[in-house]
Every structure is written in C-alpha cells, then in structure tokens.
Amino acid sequence: MFDLIVIVRVPEPADIAPVADALARMRPVCLAEDGCVSWEAYQSHEDAGRFVLVERWASRAHWEAHGEQSAIQDIYLPDILPRIEREVHPSVPVGTTPEGATA
C-alpha cells in the first residue's frame, strides 16, 4: 500500500467554496481509478480554509499514474492548485514499514 496525506490551506476566503466543491467532484473520479483503495477529503470545523486529503493507493506506481488521470488533469490542476498552499506527505500508519523499505 501507498498512503498519502495532503494538507491544504486556502488563503483567500472567496476560494474556500470552489476548492471544497472541486474536492467533492474529485472523490468519485479518484475512487474509479485503477489502484485507488480510498480517497477522502476533510474540511476543518475550526478553520474552513484548511483541508486534509487522505489517500490510499495499491502501490506508489498507481499513485504516480494518478497524476495523468482526469481527477488531477481536469479538476485538481485547473480548479484547486492555483488557489491553495499544500504540504504533501507520503506516509505510513504508525507501526508499519513503508512500501519498498526493509524491516
């Protein structure tokens, strides 16, 4: 498995609703992609301009292929990325070994 956490901040209040809408549109498209195990976007109750994406892919290769698919090309790049600041964190659940690493 390949897990990814993306922390998103929307600096302009006017961009919060369009980003939330675009993330909602991305979810079914991502879930339909080969290798997408789960894909969720969360919006903070405390800070409406803060989102956390939690993605699980069957492999890093599946996630890398995701970059060429419709969710990224048709929604994320034009509708989200220009409006956000982000941190991308390939991650593993605590107590597990990252894909490709030796124990």
Side-chain angles (χ1 to χ4, degrees):
M1 287 294 156
F2 180 77
D3 296 318
L4 189 72
I5 307 295
V6 181
I7 300 167
V8 172
R9 186 173 99 63
V10 182
E12 296 296 326
D15 288 335
I16 294 170
V19 167
D21 175 68
L23 289 169
R25 287 184 287 122
M26 274 188 74
R27 185 173 188 273
V29 179
C30 290
L31 290 171
E33 289 180 29
D34 183 44
C36 183
V37 176
S38 64
W39 192 99
E40 297 294 339
Y42 297 89
Q43 185 175 19
S44 171
H45 284 275
E46 301 296 321
D47 179 356
R50 177 91 50 195
F51 297 83
V52 176
L53 311 182
V54 180
E55 304 178 35
R56 175 164 275 184
W57 296 88
S59 69
R60 184 178 188 110
H62 284 97
W63 171 69
E64 289 172 352
H66 164 65
E68 300 303 318
Q69 301 300 314
S70 178
I72 297 297
Q73 295 298 316
D74 299 337
I75 301 171
Y76 190 79
L77 292 178
D79 298 340
I80 298 173
L81 192 59
R83 295 179 160 116
I84 67 168
E85 297 168 357
R86 67 185 180 147
E87 297 175 30
V88 178
H89 300 277
S91 303
V92 296
V94 173
T96 64
T97 303
E99 179 183 299
T102 56

Coordinates of all heavy atoms in Angstrom, one line a residue:
M1 N 0.8 -1.2 0.0 CA 0.0 0.0 0.0 C 0.9 1.2 0.0 O 2.0 1.2 0.5 CB -0.9 0.0 1.3 CG -2.0 -0.9 1.3 SD -3.2 -0.6 0.1 CE -4.0 -2.2 -0.1
F2 N 0.3 2.3 -0.6 CA 1.0 3.6 -0.6 C 0.0 4.6 -0.1 O -1.1 4.8 -0.7 CB 1.5 4.0 -2.0 CG 2.1 5.3 -2.0 CD1 3.5 5.5 -1.6 CD2 1.5 6.4 -2.5 CE1 4.1 6.7 -1.6 CE2 2.1 7.7 -2.6 CZ 3.4 7.8 -2.1
D3 N 0.3 5.2 1.1 CA -0.6 6.2 1.7 C -0.1 7.6 1.5 O 1.2 7.8 1.6 CB -0.8 5.9 3.2 CG -1.4 4.6 3.5 OD1 -2.4 4.2 2.7 OD2 -1.0 3.8 4.4
L4 N -1.0 8.5 1.3 CA -0.6 9.9 1.1 C -1.5 10.8 2.0 O -2.7 10.6 1.9 CB -0.7 10.3 -0.3 CG -0.1 11.6 -0.8 CD1 1.4 11.5 -0.8 CD2 -0.6 12.0 -2.2
I5 N -0.9 11.8 2.7 CA -1.6 12.8 3.4 C -1.2 14.1 2.7 O -0.1 14.4 2.6 CB -1.2 12.8 4.9 CG1 -1.3 11.5 5.5 CG2 -2.0 13.9 5.6 CD1 -2.7 10.9 5.6
V6 N -2.2 14.9 2.4 CA -2.0 16.2 1.8 C -2.7 17.2 2.7 O -3.9 17.1 2.9 CB -2.5 16.3 0.3 CG1 -2.2 17.7 -0.3 CG2 -1.9 15.2 -0.5
I7 N -2.0 18.2 3.2 CA -2.6 19.2 4.0 C -2.7 20.5 3.1 O -1.7 20.9 2.5 CB -1.7 19.5 5.2 CG1 -1.5 18.3 6.1 CG2 -2.2 20.7 6.0 CD1 -0.4 18.3 7.1
V8 N -3.9 21.0 3.0 CA -4.2 22.1 2.1 C -4.7 23.3 2.9 O -5.5 23.2 3.8 CB -5.3 21.6 1.1 CG1 -5.8 22.8 0.3 CG2 -4.9 20.5 0.2
R9 N -4.2 24.4 2.5 CA -4.6 25.7 3.1 C -5.1 26.6 2.0 O -4.4 26.7 0.9 CB -3.5 26.4 3.9 CG -4.0 27.6 4.6 CD -2.9 28.2 5.5 NE -2.1 29.3 5.0 CZ -2.6 30.5 4.6 NH1 -3.9 30.7 4.7 NH2 -1.8 31.4 4.2
V10 N -6.3 27.1 2.1 CA -6.8 28.1 1.1 C -6.7 29.5 1.7 O -7.4 29.8 2.6 CB -8.3 27.7 0.8 CG1 -8.9 28.7 -0.2 CG2 -8.5 26.3 0.4
P11 N -5.8 30.3 1.2 CA -5.5 31.6 1.8 C -6.6 32.6 1.6 O -6.8 33.5 2.5 CB -4.2 32.1 1.2 CG -3.8 31.1 0.1 CD -4.8 29.9 0.2
E12 N -7.3 32.6 0.5 CA -8.3 33.5 0.2 C -9.7 33.0 0.6 O -10.2 32.0 0.0 CB -8.3 33.9 -1.3 CG -7.0 34.6 -1.7 CD -6.8 35.9 -1.0 OE1 -7.8 36.7 -0.8 OE2 -5.7 36.3 -0.8
P13 N -10.5 33.7 1.5 CA -11.8 33.1 1.8 C -12.7 32.9 0.7 O -13.5 31.9 0.7 CB -12.3 34.2 2.8 CG -11.1 34.9 3.4 CD -10.1 34.8 2.2
A14 N -12.6 33.7 -0.4 CA -13.5 33.5 -1.5 C -13.2 32.2 -2.3 O -14.1 31.8 -3.1 CB -13.4 34.7 -2.5
D15 N -12.1 31.7 -2.1 CA -11.7 30.4 -2.8 C -12.1 29.2 -2.0 O -12.0 28.0 -2.6 CB -10.2 30.4 -3.0 CG -9.8 31.4 -4.1 OD1 -10.6 31.7 -5.0 OD2 -8.6 31.8 -4.1
I16 N -12.5 29.3 -0.8 CA -12.8 28.1 0.0 C -14.0 27.3 -0.6 O -13.8 26.0 -0.8 CB -13.2 28.5 1.5 CG1 -11.9 29.1 2.2 CG2 -13.7 27.3 2.3 CD1 -12.2 29.7 3.5
A17 N -15.1 27.9 -0.9 CA -16.2 27.1 -1.5 C -15.8 26.5 -2.8 O -16.1 25.3 -3.0 CB -17.4 28.0 -1.6
P18 N -15.2 27.2 -3.8 CA -14.8 26.5 -5.0 C -13.8 25.3 -4.8 O -13.9 24.3 -5.5 CB -14.1 27.6 -5.8 CG -14.7 28.9 -5.3 CD -14.9 28.6 -3.8
V19 N -12.9 25.4 -3.8 CA -12.0 24.3 -3.6 C -12.8 23.2 -3.0 O -12.6 22.0 -3.4 CB -10.8 24.8 -2.6 CG1 -10.1 23.6 -2.1 CG2 -9.9 25.7 -3.4
A20 N -13.6 23.4 -2.0 CA -14.4 22.4 -1.4 C -15.3 21.6 -2.5 O -15.4 20.4 -2.5 CB -15.3 22.9 -0.3
D21 N -15.9 22.4 -3.4 CA -16.7 21.8 -4.5 C -15.8 21.0 -5.4 O -16.2 19.8 -5.8 CB -17.3 22.9 -5.3 CG -18.1 22.4 -6.5 OD1 -19.1 21.7 -6.3 OD2 -17.6 22.6 -7.6
A22 N -14.6 21.5 -5.7 CA -13.7 20.7 -6.6 C -13.2 19.4 -5.9 O -13.2 18.4 -6.6 CB -12.5 21.6 -7.0
L23 N -12.9 19.5 -4.7 CA -12.5 18.3 -3.9 C -13.7 17.2 -3.9 O -13.5 16.0 -4.1 CB -12.1 18.6 -2.5 CG -10.8 19.3 -2.4 CD1 -10.5 19.8 -1.0 CD2 -9.6 18.4 -2.9
A24 N -14.9 17.7 -3.7 CA -16.1 16.8 -3.7 C -16.2 16.2 -5.1 O -16.5 15.0 -5.2 CB -17.3 17.5 -3.4
R25 N -15.9 16.9 -6.2 CA -16.0 16.4 -7.5 C -14.9 15.4 -7.8 O -15.1 14.4 -8.6 CB -16.0 17.5 -8.6 CG -17.3 18.3 -8.7 CD -17.2 19.3 -9.8 NE -16.4 20.5 -9.4 CZ -15.3 20.9 -10.2 NH1 -15.0 20.2 -11.3 NH2 -14.6 21.9 -9.8
M26 N -13.8 15.6 -7.2 CA -12.6 14.7 -7.4 C -12.8 13.3 -6.8 O -12.4 12.3 -7.4 CB -11.4 15.3 -6.7 CG -10.6 16.2 -7.6 SD -9.0 16.7 -6.8 CE -8.1 15.2 -7.1
R27 N -13.5 13.2 -5.7 CA -13.6 11.9 -5.0 C -14.1 10.8 -5.8 O -13.4 9.7 -5.9 CB -14.5 12.1 -3.7 CG -14.5 10.8 -2.9 CD -15.3 11.0 -1.6 NE -15.1 9.9 -0.7 CZ -15.9 8.8 -0.8 NH1 -16.9 8.8 -1.6 NH2 -15.6 7.8 0.0
P28 N -15.3 10.9 -6.5 CA -15.7 9.7 -7.3 C -14.8 9.4 -8.4 O -14.6 8.2 -8.8 CB -17.1 10.1 -7.7 CG -17.2 11.6 -7.6 CD -16.3 11.9 -6.5
V29 N -14.2 10.4 -9.0 CA -13.2 10.2 -10.1 C -12.0 9.4 -9.6 O -11.6 8.5 -10.3 CB -12.9 11.5 -10.8 CG1 -11.9 11.3 -11.9 CG2 -14.1 12.3 -11.2
C30 N -11.5 9.8 -8.5 CA -10.3 9.1 -7.9 C -10.7 7.7 -7.6 O -9.9 6.8 -7.9 CB -9.8 9.9 -6.7 SG -9.0 11.4 -7.0
L31 N -11.8 7.5 -6.9 CA -12.2 6.2 -6.5 C -12.4 5.2 -7.7 O -12.2 4.0 -7.5 CB -13.4 6.2 -5.6 CG -13.3 6.8 -4.2 CD1 -14.6 7.0 -3.6 CD2 -12.3 6.0 -3.4
A32 N -12.7 5.8 -8.8 CA -12.8 4.9 -10.0 C -11.5 4.5 -10.7 O -11.5 3.7 -11.5 CB -13.7 5.6 -11.0
E33 N -10.4 5.2 -10.3 CA -9.1 4.9 -10.9 C -8.6 3.6 -10.4 O -8.8 3.2 -9.3 CB -8.1 6.0 -10.5 CG -8.4 7.3 -11.2 CD -7.4 8.4 -10.8 OE1 -6.2 8.0 -10.5 OE2 -7.8 9.6 -10.8
D34 N -7.8 2.9 -11.3 CA -7.2 1.7 -11.0 C -6.2 1.9 -9.9 O -5.4 2.9 -9.9 CB -6.4 1.2 -12.2 CG -5.8 -0.2 -12.0 OD1 -6.4 -1.0 -11.4 OD2 -4.6 -0.3 -12.4
G35 N -6.3 1.1 -8.8 CA -5.4 1.2 -7.7 C -5.8 2.1 -6.6 O -5.1 2.1 -5.5
C36 N -6.8 2.9 -6.7 CA -7.3 3.7 -5.6 C -8.1 2.9 -4.6 O -9.1 2.4 -4.9 CB -8.1 4.9 -6.1 SG -8.6 6.0 -4.8
V37 N -7.5 2.7 -3.4 CA -8.2 1.9 -2.4 C -9.2 2.8 -1.6 O -10.3 2.4 -1.3 CB -7.1 1.3 -1.5 CG1 -7.8 0.6 -0.3 CG2 -6.2 0.4 -2.2
S38 N -8.7 4.0 -1.3 CA -9.6 5.0 -0.6 C -9.1 6.4 -0.9 O -7.9 6.6 -1.1 CB -9.8 4.7 0.9 OG -8.5 4.9 1.5
W39 N -10.0 7.4 -0.9 CA -9.7 8.8 -1.1 C -10.7 9.6 -0.4 O -11.9 9.5 -0.7 CB -9.7 9.1 -2.6 CG -9.1 10.4 -3.0 CD1 -7.8 10.6 -3.4 CD2 -9.7 11.7 -2.9 NE1 -7.6 11.9 -3.7 CE2 -8.8 12.6 -3.4 CE3 -10.9 12.1 -2.5 CZ2 -9.0 14.0 -3.4 CZ3 -11.2 13.5 -2.6 CH2 -10.2 14.4 -3.0
E40 N -10.3 10.4 0.6 CA -11.2 11.2 1.4 C -10.6 12.6 1.5 O -9.4 12.8 1.7 CB -11.4 10.6 2.8 CG -12.0 9.3 2.8 CD -13.5 9.2 2.4 OE1 -14.2 10.3 2.4 OE2 -13.9 8.1 2.0
A41 N -11.5 13.6 1.5 CA -11.1 15.0 1.8 C -11.9 15.4 3.0 O -13.1 15.3 3.1 CB -11.4 15.8 0.6
Y42 N -11.2 16.0 4.0 CA -11.8 16.5 5.2 C -11.6 18.0 5.3 O -10.5 18.5 4.9 CB -11.1 15.9 6.4 CG -11.3 14.4 6.5 CD1 -10.4 13.5 5.9 CD2 -12.4 13.8 7.1 CE1 -10.6 12.2 5.9 CE2 -12.6 12.5 7.2 CZ -11.7 11.6 6.6 OH -11.8 10.3 6.6
Q43 N -12.6 18.7 5.7 CA -12.5 20.2 6.0 C -12.6 20.4 7.4 O -13.5 19.9 8.1 CB -13.7 20.9 5.2 CG -13.6 22.4 5.3 CD -14.7 23.1 4.5 OE1 -15.7 22.5 4.1 NE2 -14.4 24.3 4.1
S44 N -11.7 21.3 8.0 CA -11.7 21.6 9.4 C -12.9 22.4 9.8 O -13.4 23.3 9.2 CB -10.4 22.4 9.7 OG -10.5 22.9 11.0
H45 N -13.4 22.0 11.0 CA -14.5 22.8 11.6 C -14.0 24.1 12.2 O -14.7 25.1 12.3 CB -15.2 22.0 12.8 CG -16.1 20.9 12.3 ND1 -17.4 21.2 12.0 CD2 -15.9 19.6 12.1 CE1 -18.0 20.0 11.6 NE2 -17.1 19.1 11.7
E46 N -12.7 24.1 12.6 CA -12.1 25.2 13.3 C -11.6 26.2 12.3 O -11.4 27.4 12.6 CB -10.9 24.7 14.2 CG -11.3 23.8 15.3 CD -12.3 24.4 16.3 OE1 -12.1 25.6 16.6 OE2 -13.2 23.7 16.7
D47 N -11.2 25.8 11.1 CA -10.6 26.7 10.1 C -11.1 26.2 8.7 O -10.6 25.2 8.1 CB -9.1 26.6 10.1 CG -8.4 27.4 9.1 OD1 -9.0 28.0 8.3 OD2 -7.1 27.5 9.1
A48 N -12.1 26.8 8.2 CA -12.8 26.4 7.0 C -11.9 26.4 5.8 O -12.1 25.6 4.8 CB -14.0 27.3 6.7
G49 N -10.8 27.1 5.8 CA -9.8 27.1 4.7 C -8.7 26.0 4.8 O -7.8 26.0 4.1
R50 N -8.9 25.1 5.8 CA -7.9 24.0 6.0 C -8.6 22.7 5.6 O -9.7 22.4 6.1 CB -7.5 24.0 7.4 CG -6.5 22.9 7.7 CD -5.1 23.2 7.6 NE -4.7 24.5 8.2 CZ -3.6 25.1 8.0 NH1 -2.7 24.6 7.1 NH2 -3.3 26.3 8.6
F51 N -7.9 21.9 4.7 CA -8.4 20.6 4.3 C -7.3 19.6 4.5 O -6.1 20.0 4.4 CB -8.8 20.7 2.8 CG -9.9 21.6 2.5 CD1 -9.7 22.9 2.2 CD2 -11.2 21.1 2.4 CE1 -10.7 23.8 1.9 CE2 -12.3 22.0 2.1 CZ -12.0 23.3 1.8
V52 N -7.7 18.4 4.7 CA -6.7 17.3 4.7 C -7.2 16.2 3.8 O -8.4 15.8 3.9 CB -6.6 16.7 6.2 CG1 -5.6 15.5 6.2 CG2 -6.1 17.8 7.1
L53 N -6.4 15.8 2.9 CA -6.7 14.7 2.0 C -6.0 13.4 2.5 O -4.8 13.5 2.8 CB -6.2 15.0 0.6 CG -6.6 16.3 0.0 CD1 -6.1 16.5 -1.5 CD2 -8.1 16.6 0.1
V54 N -6.7 12.3 2.5 CA -6.2 11.1 3.0 C -6.4 10.1 1.9 O -7.5 9.7 1.6 CB -6.8 10.6 4.3 CG1 -6.2 9.3 4.7 CG2 -6.7 11.7 5.4
E55 N -5.3 9.7 1.2 CA -5.4 8.8 0.1 C -4.7 7.5 0.4 O -3.6 7.5 1.0 CB -4.7 9.5 -1.1 CG -5.3 10.8 -1.5 CD -4.5 11.5 -2.6 OE1 -4.1 10.7 -3.6 OE2 -4.4 12.7 -2.6
R56 N -5.2 6.4 -0.1 CA -4.6 5.1 -0.1 C -4.6 4.5 -1.4 O -5.7 4.3 -2.1 CB -5.2 4.2 0.9 CG -4.6 2.8 0.9 CD -5.0 2.0 2.1 NE -4.0 2.4 3.2 CZ -4.0 1.8 4.3 NH1 -4.9 0.9 4.7 NH2 -3.1 2.2 5.2
W57 N -3.4 4.1 -1.9 CA -3.2 3.5 -3.3 C -2.7 2.1 -3.1 O -1.9 1.9 -2.2 CB -2.3 4.4 -4.1 CG -3.0 5.8 -4.3 CD1 -2.9 6.9 -3.5 CD2 -3.9 6.1 -5.4 NE1 -3.6 7.9 -4.0 CE2 -4.3 7.4 -5.2 CE3 -4.4 5.4 -6.5 CZ2 -5.2 8.1 -6.0 CZ3 -5.3 6.1 -7.3 CH2 -5.6 7.4 -7.1
A58 N -3.0 1.3 -4.1 CA -2.5 -0.1 -4.0 C -0.9 -0.1 -4.1 O -0.3 -1.0 -3.5 CB -3.1 -0.9 -5.2
S59 N -0.3 0.9 -4.7 CA 1.1 1.0 -4.8 C 1.5 2.4 -5.2 O 0.6 3.2 -5.6 CB 1.7 0.1 -5.9 OG 1.3 0.5 -7.2
R60 N 2.7 2.7 -5.0 CA 3.2 4.1 -5.4 C 3.1 4.3 -6.9 O 2.7 5.3 -7.4 CB 4.7 4.2 -5.0 CG 5.2 5.6 -5.3 CD 6.6 5.9 -4.8 NE 6.9 7.3 -5.0 CZ 7.0 8.2 -4.1 NH1 7.0 7.8 -2.8 NH2 7.3 9.5 -4.3
A61 N 3.3 3.2 -7.7 CA 3.1 3.3 -9.1 C 1.6 3.7 -9.5 O 1.4 4.5 -10.4 CB 3.5 2.0 -9.8
H62 N 0.7 3.2 -8.8 CA -0.7 3.6 -9.0 C -0.9 5.1 -8.7 O -1.6 5.8 -9.5 CB -1.7 2.7 -8.2 CG -1.9 1.4 -8.7 ND1 -1.2 0.3 -8.2 CD2 -2.7 0.9 -9.7 CE1 -1.6 -0.8 -8.8 NE2 -2.5 -0.5 -9.7
W63 N -0.3 5.5 -7.6 CA -0.5 6.9 -7.3 C 0.2 7.8 -8.3 O -0.3 8.8 -8.7 CB 0.1 7.2 -5.9 CG 0.2 8.7 -5.6 CD1 -0.8 9.5 -5.3 CD2 1.4 9.5 -5.5 NE1 -0.3 10.8 -5.1 CE2 1.0 10.8 -5.2 CE3 2.8 9.1 -5.7 CZ2 2.0 11.8 -5.1 CZ3 3.7 10.2 -5.5 CH2 3.3 11.5 -5.3
E64 N 1.4 7.4 -8.8 CA 2.1 8.2 -9.8 C 1.3 8.2 -11.1 O 1.2 9.3 -11.7 CB 3.5 7.6 -10.0 CG 4.4 7.8 -8.8 CD 5.8 7.1 -8.9 OE1 6.0 6.3 -9.8 OE2 6.6 7.4 -8.1
A65 N 0.6 7.1 -11.5 CA -0.2 7.1 -12.7 C -1.4 8.1 -12.5 O -1.9 8.6 -13.5 CB -0.7 5.7 -13.0
H66 N -1.9 8.2 -11.3 CA -3.0 9.1 -10.9 C -2.8 10.5 -11.4 O -3.7 11.2 -11.8 CB -3.2 9.0 -9.4 CG -4.0 10.0 -8.7 ND1 -5.3 10.2 -9.0 CD2 -3.7 11.0 -7.8 CE1 -5.8 11.2 -8.2 NE2 -4.8 11.7 -7.5
G67 N -1.5 10.9 -11.4 CA -1.2 12.3 -11.9 C -1.5 12.6 -13.3 O -1.7 13.7 -13.7
E68 N -1.7 11.5 -14.1 CA -2.0 11.7 -15.5 C -3.5 11.5 -15.8 O -3.9 11.6 -16.9 CB -1.2 10.7 -16.4 CG 0.3 11.0 -16.2 CD 0.7 12.4 -16.6 OE1 0.2 12.9 -17.6 OE2 1.6 12.9 -15.9
Q69 N -4.2 11.2 -14.7 CA -5.7 10.9 -14.9 C -6.5 12.1 -14.8 O -6.1 13.2 -14.4 CB -6.1 9.8 -13.9 CG -5.3 8.5 -14.0 CD -5.5 7.8 -15.3 OE1 -6.5 7.7 -15.9 NE2 -4.4 7.4 -15.9
S70 N -7.8 11.9 -15.1 CA -8.8 13.0 -15.1 C -8.9 13.8 -13.8 O -9.0 15.0 -13.8 CB -10.2 12.5 -15.5 OG -11.1 13.5 -15.5
A71 N -8.9 13.1 -12.7 CA -9.1 13.9 -11.4 C -8.0 14.9 -11.2 O -8.3 16.1 -10.8 CB -9.0 12.9 -10.2
I72 N -6.8 14.6 -11.6 CA -5.7 15.6 -11.5 C -5.7 16.6 -12.6 O -5.7 17.8 -12.4 CB -4.3 14.9 -11.4 CG1 -4.3 14.0 -10.1 CG2 -3.2 15.9 -11.4 CD1 -4.4 14.8 -8.8
Q73 N -5.8 16.1 -13.8 CA -5.6 16.9 -15.0 C -6.8 17.8 -15.2 O -6.7 19.0 -15.6 CB -5.4 16.0 -16.3 CG -4.1 15.3 -16.3 CD -2.9 16.2 -16.3 OE1 -2.9 17.2 -17.0 NE2 -1.9 15.9 -15.4
D74 N -8.1 17.3 -15.0 CA -9.3 18.1 -15.3 C -9.9 18.9 -14.1 O -10.7 19.8 -14.3 CB -10.3 17.2 -15.9 CG -9.9 16.5 -17.2 OD1 -9.0 17.1 -17.8 OD2 -10.4 15.4 -17.5
I75 N -9.5 18.5 -12.9 CA -10.1 19.1 -11.7 C -9.0 19.8 -10.8 O -9.0 21.0 -10.6 CB -10.9 18.1 -10.8 CG1 -12.0 17.5 -11.7 CG2 -11.5 18.8 -9.6 CD1 -12.8 16.4 -11.0
Y76 N -8.0 19.0 -10.3 CA -7.0 19.4 -9.4 C -6.2 20.6 -9.9 O -6.0 21.6 -9.3 CB -6.2 18.3 -8.9 CG -5.3 18.6 -7.7 CD1 -5.8 18.7 -6.4 CD2 -3.9 18.9 -7.9 CE1 -5.0 19.0 -5.4 CE2 -3.1 19.2 -6.8 CZ -3.7 19.3 -5.6 OH -2.9 19.6 -4.5
L77 N -5.6 20.3 -11.1 CA -4.6 21.3 -11.6 C -5.3 22.7 -12.0 O -4.9 23.7 -11.6 CB -3.9 20.8 -12.8 CG -2.9 19.7 -12.5 CD1 -2.2 19.2 -13.8 CD2 -1.8 20.2 -11.5
P78 N -6.5 22.6 -12.7 CA -7.1 23.9 -13.0 C -7.9 24.6 -11.9 O -7.9 25.8 -11.8 CB -8.0 23.6 -14.2 CG -8.3 22.2 -14.1 CD -7.1 21.5 -13.4
D79 N -8.6 23.7 -11.1 CA -9.6 24.3 -10.2 C -9.1 24.4 -8.7 O -9.7 25.1 -7.9 CB -10.9 23.4 -10.2 CG -11.6 23.4 -11.5 OD1 -11.3 24.3 -12.3 OD2 -12.4 22.5 -11.8
I80 N -8.1 23.6 -8.3 CA -7.7 23.6 -6.9 C -6.3 24.2 -6.8 O -6.1 25.2 -6.0 CB -7.7 22.2 -6.4 CG1 -9.1 21.7 -6.4 CG2 -7.1 22.1 -5.0 CD1 -9.3 20.2 -6.0
L81 N -5.3 23.7 -7.5 CA -3.9 24.1 -7.2 C -3.6 25.6 -7.3 O -2.9 26.1 -6.4 CB -3.0 23.3 -8.2 CG -1.5 23.4 -7.9 CD1 -1.2 22.8 -6.5 CD2 -0.7 22.6 -8.9
P82 N -4.2 26.3 -8.2 CA -3.9 27.8 -8.2 C -4.5 28.5 -7.0 O -4.1 29.6 -6.8 CB -4.7 28.3 -9.5 CG -4.9 27.0 -10.3 CD -5.0 25.9 -9.4
R83 N -5.3 27.9 -6.2 CA -6.0 28.5 -5.1 C -5.4 28.1 -3.7 O -5.9 28.6 -2.7 CB -7.5 28.2 -5.1 CG -8.2 28.7 -6.3 CD -9.7 28.3 -6.2 NE -10.5 29.2 -7.0 CZ -11.2 28.7 -8.0 NH1 -11.2 27.5 -8.4 NH2 -12.0 29.6 -8.7
I84 N -4.5 27.2 -3.7 CA -4.1 26.6 -2.4 C -2.6 26.7 -2.2 O -1.8 27.0 -3.1 CB -4.5 25.2 -2.3 CG1 -3.7 24.3 -3.4 CG2 -6.0 25.0 -2.5 CD1 -3.8 22.8 -3.2
E85 N -2.2 26.5 -0.9 CA -0.9 26.2 -0.5 C -1.0 24.7 0.0 O -2.0 24.4 0.6 CB -0.4 27.1 0.6 CG -0.4 28.5 0.2 CD -0.2 29.5 1.4 OE1 -0.2 29.1 2.5 OE2 -0.1 30.7 1.1
R86 N 0.0 23.9 -0.1 CA -0.1 22.5 0.3 C 1.2 21.9 0.8 O 2.3 22.4 0.5 CB -0.6 21.7 -0.9 CG 0.4 21.5 -2.0 CD -0.2 20.8 -3.2 NE 0.9 20.8 -4.2 CZ 1.1 19.8 -5.0 NH1 0.3 18.8 -5.1 NH2 2.1 19.9 -5.9
E87 N 1.0 20.9 1.6 CA 2.1 20.0 2.0 C 1.7 18.6 1.6 O 0.6 18.2 1.9 CB 2.2 20.1 3.6 CG 2.6 21.4 4.1 CD 2.6 21.3 5.7 OE1 2.9 20.3 6.2 OE2 2.3 22.4 6.3
V88 N 2.6 17.9 1.0 CA 2.3 16.5 0.5 C 3.2 15.6 1.4 O 4.4 15.8 1.4 CB 2.6 16.4 -1.0 CG1 2.4 14.9 -1.4 CG2 1.8 17.4 -1.8
H89 N 2.6 14.6 2.0 CA 3.3 13.7 2.9 C 3.0 12.3 2.6 O 2.0 11.7 3.0 CB 2.9 14.0 4.4 CG 3.2 15.4 4.8 ND1 4.4 15.7 5.3 CD2 2.4 16.5 4.9 CE1 4.4 17.0 5.6 NE2 3.2 17.5 5.4
P90 N 3.9 11.6 1.8 CA 3.8 10.1 1.7 C 3.9 9.6 3.2 O 4.8 10.1 3.9 CB 4.9 9.7 0.8 CG 5.2 10.9 0.0 CD 5.0 12.1 0.9
S91 N 3.1 8.8 3.6 CA 3.0 8.4 5.0 C 2.7 6.9 5.2 O 2.3 6.2 4.2 CB 1.9 9.2 5.7 OG 2.0 10.6 5.5
V92 N 2.9 6.4 6.4 CA 2.6 5.1 6.7 C 1.9 5.1 8.1 O 2.2 6.0 8.9 CB 3.8 4.1 6.8 CG1 4.5 4.0 5.5 CG2 4.8 4.6 7.8
P93 N 0.9 4.2 8.3 CA 0.4 4.1 9.6 C 1.5 3.7 10.6 O 2.4 3.0 10.3 CB -0.6 2.9 9.5 CG -0.9 2.8 8.0 CD 0.3 3.2 7.3
V94 N 1.4 4.3 11.8 CA 2.4 4.1 12.9 C 2.5 2.6 13.1 O 1.5 1.9 13.2 CB 2.0 4.8 14.1 CG1 2.9 4.5 15.3 CG2 2.0 6.3 13.9
G95 N 3.7 2.1 13.2 CA 3.9 0.7 13.5 C 4.1 -0.2 12.2 O 4.2 -1.4 12.3
T96 N 4.0 0.4 11.0 CA 4.2 -0.3 9.8 C 5.4 0.1 9.1 O 6.0 1.1 9.4 CB 2.9 -0.2 8.9 OG1 2.9 1.2 8.5 CG2 1.7 -0.6 9.5
T97 N 5.8 -0.7 8.1 CA 7.0 -0.4 7.3 C 6.6 0.2 6.0 O 5.7 -0.3 5.3 CB 7.8 -1.7 7.1 OG1 8.1 -2.3 8.3 CG2 9.1 -1.4 6.3
P98 N 7.3 1.3 5.5 CA 6.9 1.9 4.2 C 7.1 0.9 3.1 O 8.0 0.0 3.2 CB 7.9 3.0 4.1 CG 8.4 3.3 5.4 CD 8.3 2.0 6.2
E99 N 6.3 1.0 2.0 CA 6.5 0.2 0.8 C 7.9 0.3 0.3 O 8.5 1.4 0.2 CB 5.5 0.7 -0.3 CG 5.6 -0.1 -1.5 CD 4.7 0.5 -2.6 OE1 3.4 0.5 -2.4 OE2 5.2 0.9 -3.7
G100 N 8.5 -0.8 0.0 CA 9.8 -0.9 -0.5 C 10.9 -0.8 0.5 O 12.1 -1.0 0.2
A101 N 10.6 -0.5 1.8 CA 11.6 -0.5 2.8 C 11.8 -1.9 3.4 O 10.9 -2.7 3.4 CB 11.2 0.5 3.9
T102 N 13.0 -2.1 3.9 CA 13.2 -3.4 4.6 C 13.1 -3.2 6.1 O 13.4 -2.1 6.6 CB 14.6 -3.9 4.3 OG1 15.6 -2.9 4.6 CG2 14.7 -4.2 2.8
A103 N 12.6 -4.1 6.8 CA 12.4 -4.0 8.2 C 13.6 -4.2 9.0 O 14.6 -4.7 8.6 CB 11.4 -5.1 8.7

